[in-house]
Each structure stands twice: as C-alpha cells, then as structure tokens.
Amino acid sequence: MLTTAFIDLPPLQSASGRVHLPGSKSISNRVLLLAALCHGRTTLHDVLDSDDTRVMLTALRQLGCSIAQDGHTVVIDGLGGQAKVTQAQLFMGNAGTAIRPLTAALALMGGDFELRGVARMHERPIGDLVDALRQLGCQIDYTGQEGYPPLHIGQPQLKLNAPIQVRGDVSSQFLTALLMALPLVAKQAIQIEVVGELISRPYIEITLNLLARFGIHIARDGWQRFTVPAGCSYQSPGVLHVEADASSASYFIASGAIAASSRGQKSIKILGLGADSIQGDIRFIEAAQAMGAKVLSGPHWLEVSQGQWPLKAIDLDCNHIPDAAMTLAVMALYADGTTTLRHIGSWRVKETDRIAAMACELRKLGATVVEGADFIQITPPANVAAWQTGSIDTYDDHRMAMCFALSAFNPAHLPVRIVDPKCVAKTFPDYFEALFSVVQTAPEDIPVICVDGPTASGKGTLAAQVASQLGYHLLDSGALYRITALAATQAGLPLDASAELAIAELAERLQIEFKDDRVLLADADVTDLIRLESTGMQASQVSVLPKVRSALVALQHGFRRLPGLVADGRDMGTEIFPDAALKVFLTASAAQRAQRRFKQLISKGNTATLDSLRKDLEARDARDMSRPVSPLKPAQDALLLDNSDVSIEASVQQVLTWWQSKQPF
C-alpha cells in the first residue's frame, strides 16, 4: 500500500490484463457483526482487510468476541446476542458501516459504551438512527454536537409495541442498523416504518439477503414497511464467502471503457465478481454500457473493453448506485456532451461532501460543473487544449482518490497528482498497485530519476529514500552484478567465458525486487548474501563478460515501471536512462567517504584504517573514471550535489525540491 504524501500518475495510454478485487466492504462489515451476534462459530472467507473492517474487528474484540484471523479468513465465535463486556470506549474511525449497526446493537443490548471516531465522523449525521432507537426506549446521549457522534449508550427500557419510524432519505445505513439489531429483542413481531423515500435501496437488499443467510427472514411491504418476525434468532451459516467489492470493480470497468486495449490483449478481466452479484453497485455495469463500454460476464468474472468512443453522455438517476456513481462523474470527462447524475444527495453526508469535492476537483481538470443539492452536471473540457492538470485533493475520502486516478487517461497527455493516496486503505489498500498492474503507457512517459556517483558517496541511501518519498520503484544497479554472480553460482555455472551465454540468459530471467532496504531474488531475501566479500569478488568476474553486461542493461530497462523509477549507479544518467527527467551526480570528498565507510565496517566488527580506506577509494575512483565502457562521470545535464557536509535528510530534500521544480502541479 502506498503511504506517500502524494502519488504522481504519468499519462496513461491503455489498459488490459487481469485484476483480483478485494472483498466487499458492505458485505464484510455486515457479516462480521452478524457472525458476532450469533450463537456458535462462523468461518468467513475473503473478508476485506481495510481500515473499516479493522475498526469493526477491534470493536468486536473489545466486546469480548473471540476472533481468529488467517489472511482474509476470519473465524468468529459468536456472543449469542449479548456482549461479554458491558463497558467500553470504542473508536470507530470514519467507518459508517461500523458505527451505525454497532450503535443499534449495543443500544438494544445495553451497557455503558462510548462510541467516537475521527473528526469527520463527528460531522456525519446519526440523529435519525438515534431518534428511532429512542422510540424503543434505548438510552443514547450525544456527548458532542446534537445529532452527531460521539455517543454514550446506557441501559434501555425497551418498548416494542408500536411501529418504529426511521427516515430513509438521508442514509440507508440507519435502516440497515435497525434490521440487523432488532432480531436481538424480537420476542414479538417488530415493525419498522420508513419515513420519506428510501435511498440506496440496493444496500438494504444486501442486508436482507445476508440476514436470511443468518436465519432472519424479514417481511417487507414495498420499501416503506419491514417486519422483524417474532421469536427469530441468529443462526450461524457455518461458512460464508464474501463477494468481491462491486464498488471497487467500477474503477476497472471504467478503465476498460476509457482506455484503448494494449497490443495483444483486448480487455480488462475482473475476477471475483459476476453480474449476478447481490451488491447493488453491480448495476454500475448498466450505466457503463449506456456510456459505451462493452461488458461480458460469467461466473465470478467480468470482462470489459472499449466500445463507443468518445463515451456517450448520460442523464441518470443514481439512487441505486450511490457509491459507484462517483466513478461515472470522472467517466463524464471522456463523454461527448453533458452528463447529469441525479438523486445523489447522500453524497453530502459521506466521508466528505462528495458533491462539493467532486465539483471542485473536476474543475481543476478543465471541466464545467454545475452542482445542486442532490445532483451534479459535468461537461468535459471543450477540446484537448482545454484540459488542465492538477493536484487532486482527496479529502480523506478513498473514492475520491480511486476515481480521479482515471483522469490520467486524459487526451492531453498530462500527468495528474493524487494527494494522500493512502486514504484508499479504507476499502482497497492495494488499489494503486492493482491499477498499475493493468494500465500501460509508453516507457518514455514513465518518469526516471537517476542518482550516479562514486563509491561510498551515499547514492544508494539517497535513492532509496527518494523512491520511498515518491512511491517509485528502486533500482540499485550496483547490486545487479552481485545478484547475477550469486544466481550463477547457485545454478552451478562457472564464472568465466565458458558459461558467458548461460549466465547472460540467466540474467535475463532474474526476478529482482528492491524493497525498502532489502533485496529479493525470486521472493527470497538475498540482502546479506550479496554483501559478502566473496560475492563481490564473484561479481567482478561476471562483470567483464560482454553478453552478461548486455543482458543486465535490458534488465535495468525493465525496472522502468509505473508510477516511476529512482535508479542509482555509475552510469544511470549517461548510458542506461539518458532521457531521465532528473539526473543527480552525488559526490563527497574521499576523506569524508572513507570516514563513512570506516564507521560502517567498525559497526559490523571489521577492522580498517581511515588512511587505507581513503587510498582504496581514490584508486577505485581513478579506475571507474578511466573505464573504456561506461566510465564514471556526470551526465551533461546532471545536477551536482556534494554531500560532504550535508546530511542525508537535507540531500533527500534537495533532490525532491529539484524534482518538484520540474512538475506542472
């Protein structure tokens, strides 16, 4: 998962391949709570691992629920309808799917509970649910602003004779919370009456479907009256599989509709979800098809490709797909005409005011936007020249980040910055990694920062920290010969000309990843092995083989992957990536470099003298600068950075400042 302050997306050209989606947030948090309310054990497979589900799991553990996790499988021993712990302070983050049903369940069970969240949660209304629960005799007090969390829950004096009224035009989660909690006290039939028009009905269908899986069969009269049957009780289904998230699928359906397919591949295939999903947002397919997408479906898969282009503008009532409708707003940038999305008033009480946020960020890109109380109207830039780039603010809202990543397909070939990309952790922590796995662009559009310099100048440390700050891939070119020598030795190949071709072919197939300060070879950690003196000597043997050198050049080019690359070495800017957007030549005096190397060796228990280290470095510099192939020298357009008396933190900041000066944001 990206944890950077921002991610810069280069212009994207095509999309194809396969993507596995995470489990549905809506289903995951519902079944976690339902399993906790049951008698007996429930095994849940493919549960979403995200901020919201972690909030729910933490709360359930605080209430005394026994929970075991193994990857995306969660085993819950239910509470049997009664919390084992009756006093707790529960932190709900910004998870509406956690705080609302838990509020209802705890209010009916009774106890001494405080529920609070992040600042935005305290701005999200919960008054209509509290009003409905108070009709039942529940004791709930606001400890902050009236109508909003945080809340204090006490012991109820239940009154179940009269129908319960709850508003349906603010959030369907209020009705869902009641439907999930009332079976705990349904000694007699309990009626719920919805006041006003019920929005987001597909989410209520999810709730009813899952309640039935747990033995609760709710009767309904249209969408205005629901009856919880007398004497019902939760029964564990034993095992339940969580569908992939239909809202998350919308971004990849949109990618397939917007982007041309890459050569040799025709579509994006989305695995884990089919058109028969119980989730309402699956009907996003219909909207995408209306705009021109081609969509095929089978058991647990969707396949999407570009159809009509440009996309067709639509005028759509989005009450049935409130979350996925946000994706349509960005698709509207690629439509011929004005798109209007209606009946989206619930956007205003989500993680942020999504109508206002969407309008603001779309305008940054050159769109004309009209917003109303419950609609948004988007007219795309009039022509390619009217497109603008921007730094897209995400308002701590995961869907803003995921939607606006699609603006990198813009016809003006402009990069786009997404601020705070880690907010996607709420529902899809690996969203950007999944996106990069199925989108493509020309290699020259993938930004590269080169950091060259002499031995012990600190270029490896600098490059690693810059890559971490930007969310870019890292290439430690100096390690490649060591890794090649190690792999060849492990394969039993002699490190001389007799095995030159075999070693070169081996080098072409190496699967190498530089991750933080570790080096992985085919997922095995070889960090310590390649740093051995013996491995260094073996690297010198393979480095003189021309075919091996050629193979490693190709391998280095392969590290140029989305969203970008930081490469360090001796000839990154001069030979390997001469078109790099930024080239830094890092150096320091031989005396200073000797001092750094001395400290490293002493810390590892090795012996050395400063004088001998300085002489060795000076000799190494002379050899590297006089090499007939790829000598050590600054590229003509490299920026020089002498860090003899500069900290690594200051050096990193200098490189980031240079990099920012080259960006259009």
Side-chain angles (χ1 to χ4, degrees):
M1 184 187 82
L2 288 174
T3 58
T4 55
F6 59 85
I7 184 68
D8 291 339
L9 303 178
L12 302 177
Q13 294 183 356
S14 59
S16 58
R18 294 181 169 221
V19 62
H20 293 259
L21 296 177
S24 162
K25 177 191 74 170
S26 298
I27 295 176
S28 292
N29 261 355
R30 282 169 171 81
V31 297
L32 287 172
L33 179 56
L34 292 175
L37 297 177
C38 281
H39 289 279
R41 175 171 292 181
T42 306
T43 300
L44 305 171
H45 294 289
D46 303 321
V47 174
L48 173 67
D49 179 18
S50 72
D51 287 349
D52 280 17
T53 53
R54 292 182 199 124
V55 162
M56 177 66 88
L57 285 164
T58 298
L60 294 177
R61 288 189 174 102
Q62 285 182 259
L63 296 171
C65 200
S66 175
I67 299 172
Q69 285 180 268
D70 182 7
H72 294 281
T73 296
V74 180
V75 179
I76 298 180
D77 290 321
L79 298 169
Q82 186 61 56
K84 294 180 181 179
V85 175
T86 57
Q87 183 177 19
Q89 294 184 336
L90 305 177
F91 178 72
M92 298 284 97
N94 196 14
T97 57
I99 193 172
R100 288 159 177 170
L102 272 173
T103 293
L106 294 175
L108 290 171
M109 289 189 288
D112 181 7
F113 301 110
E114 182 178 320
L115 284 76
R116 61 175 57 249
V118 299
R120 174 58 186 170
M121 176 61 82
H122 298 168
E123 298 173 349
R124 299 178 68 179
I126 201 170
D128 293 308
L129 175 60
V130 171
D131 290 345
L133 291 166
R134 284 174 171 173
Q135 295 171 47
L136 290 163
C138 294
Q139 179 63 46
I140 307 175
D141 296 310
Y142 300 108
T143 60
Q145 183 180 357
E146 189 81 7
Y148 299 86
L151 305 172
H152 179 265
I153 294 172
Q155 289 290 346
Q157 299 292 323
L158 293 178
K159 299 173 291 185
L160 305 174
N161 295 324
I164 306 156
Q165 293 188 328
V166 63
R167 282 182 62 183
D169 57 353
V170 175
S171 172
S172 66
Q173 289 180 5
F174 301 154
L175 176 57
T176 279
L178 291 172
L179 290 170
M180 293 174 64
L182 285 171
L184 296 171
V185 295
K187 296 179 181 178
Q188 61 194 69
I190 304 174
Q191 284 194 351
I192 307 171
E193 294 180 350
V194 177
V195 178
E197 183 179 2
L198 178 62
I199 63 172
S200 306
R201 293 174 183 174
Y203 287 103
I204 300 302
E205 290 188 280
I206 292 176
T207 301
L208 297 177
N209 184 296
L210 294 174
L211 283 168
R213 294 289 303 274
F214 284 83
I216 308 295
H217 298 276
I218 306 292
R220 71 176 176 91
D221 181 6
W223 295 101
Q224 299 304 123
R225 185 174 290 104
F226 298 79
T227 302
V228 180
C232 63
S233 64
Y234 283 116
Q235 304 297 322
S236 171
V239 177
L240 189 146
H241 290 261
V242 176
E243 286 185 356
D245 190 71
S247 302
S248 296
S250 71
Y251 313 115
F252 296 95
I253 294 170
S255 297
I258 292 168
S261 299
S262 62
R263 183 175 299 177
Q265 299 188 62
K266 297 182 179 180
S267 61
I268 289 181
K269 193 161 188 177
I270 301 166
L271 303 175
L273 188 75
D276 59 351
S277 166
I278 68 170
Q279 299 169 70
D281 273 351
I282 197 64
R283 293 186 62 191
F284 178 85
I285 293 173
E286 299 169 11
Q289 288 173 321
M291 295 188 79
K294 290 183 179 179
V295 184
L296 301 175
S297 176
H300 309 299
W301 59 265
L302 301 169
E303 192 166 348
V304 189
S305 57
Q306 191 181 77
Q308 178 175 332
W309 190 259
L311 296 177
K312 181 181 178 181
I314 57 174
D315 189 321
L316 185 67
D317 183 331
C318 296
N319 181 46
H320 60 299
I321 51 169
D323 284 342
M326 293 181 69
T327 312
L328 296 175
V330 177
M331 288 178 70
L333 292 169
Y334 304 96
D336 184 9
T338 298
T339 291
T340 304
L341 307 178
R342 304 184 186 276
H343 214 157
I344 55 171
S346 64
W347 281 19
R348 293 203 182 273
V349 294
K350 295 287 189 176
E351 283 80 348
T352 187
D353 181 339
R354 286 175 169 170
I355 293 180
M358 184 65 71
C360 178
E361 304 311 308
L362 286 170
R363 290 182 183 121
K364 289 181 181 178
L365 300 174
T368 301
V369 184
V370 177
E371 61 172 295
D374 68 346
F375 76 89
I376 191 168
Q377 192 173 72
I378 305 116
T379 305
N383 49 52
V384 172
W387 274 83
Q388 302 168 18
T389 190
S391 182
I392 302 298
D393 291 310
T394 52
Y395 308 84
D396 196 26
D397 187 337
H398 55 134
R399 301 208 183 280
M400 289 292 291
M402 292 188 279
C403 286
F404 275 93
L406 304 178
S407 63
F409 286 109
N410 66 81
H413 215 64
L414 296 170
V416 177
R417 172 169 290 180
I418 304 294
V419 176
D420 189 27
K422 62 182 177 294
C423 68
V424 301
K426 183 175 177 65
T427 52
F428 198 162
D430 295 327
Y431 169 72
F432 285 100
E433 290 84 352
L435 181 68
F436 296 145
S437 74
V438 294
V439 299
Q440 301 87 33
T441 195
E444 59 268 22
D445 286 331
I446 299 175
V448 177
I449 299 174
C450 293
V451 182
D452 290 319
T455 299
S457 60
K459 57 185 181 294
T461 302
L462 175 67
Q465 293 196 23
V466 170
S468 178
Q469 293 272 344
L470 296 174
Y472 283 3
H473 297 285
L474 175 67
L475 167 59
D476 177 358
S477 66
L480 292 184
Y481 285 102
R482 289 174 173 262
I483 297 170
T484 301
L486 175 65
T489 301
Q490 291 176 341
L493 297 173
L495 304 183
D496 56 34
S498 68
E500 180 176 1
L501 181 58
I503 297 172
E505 291 175 346
L506 175 67
E508 291 174 350
R509 301 191 302 269
L510 292 176
Q511 298 176 16
I512 301 169
E513 182 181 4
F514 299 100
K515 193 172 184 178
D516 300 323
D517 60 346
R518 311 306 292 170
V519 182
L520 305 180
L521 174 60
D523 294 328
D525 191 332
V526 296
T527 310
D528 295 332
L529 286 175
I530 66 169
R531 290 174 179 167
L532 295 174
E533 184 178 352
S534 57
T535 307
M537 296 175 64
Q538 291 166 343
S540 298
Q541 292 177 263
V542 299
S543 67
V544 299
L545 304 174
K547 291 179 180 178
V548 174
R549 293 186 62 83
S550 296
L552 289 180
V553 167
L555 185 65
Q556 289 172 93
H557 287 158
F559 277 86
R560 192 173 195 168
R561 300 191 296 267
L562 290 166
L565 173 66
V566 180
D568 84 82
R570 187 184 67 242
D571 58 354
M572 295 295 98
T574 54
E575 300 290 337
I576 307 301
F577 300 109
D579 63 339
L582 174 64
K583 300 171 187 175
V584 176
F585 192 84
L586 185 69
T587 189
S589 67
Q592 183 59 253
R593 287 184 286 139
Q595 182 69 42
R596 294 170 184 170
R597 180 62 60 86
F598 179 78
K599 290 180 179 179
Q600 286 180 341
L601 292 171
I602 295 301
S603 67
K604 295 179 180 180
N606 298 314
T607 59
T609 66
L610 281 172
D611 186 58
S612 63
L613 287 173
R614 181 182 57 77
K615 290 179 179 178
D616 285 344
L617 287 171
E618 290 173 343
R620 175 71 178 269
D621 291 347
R623 288 197 304 271
D624 287 345
M625 288 187 290
S626 61
R627 288 175 182 269
V629 178
S630 302
L632 173 66
K633 63 179 181 179
Q636 288 187 347
D637 52 349
L639 299 176
L640 302 181
L641 177 56
D642 188 328
N643 69 349
S644 298
D645 300 308
V646 179
S647 69
I648 182 61
E649 293 78 14
S651 298
V652 169
Q653 190 54 54
Q654 179 61 74
V655 173
L656 292 174
T657 299
W658 284 335
W659 183 244
Q660 179 58 37
S661 71
K662 294 178 175 289
Q663 307 312 309
F665 310 114

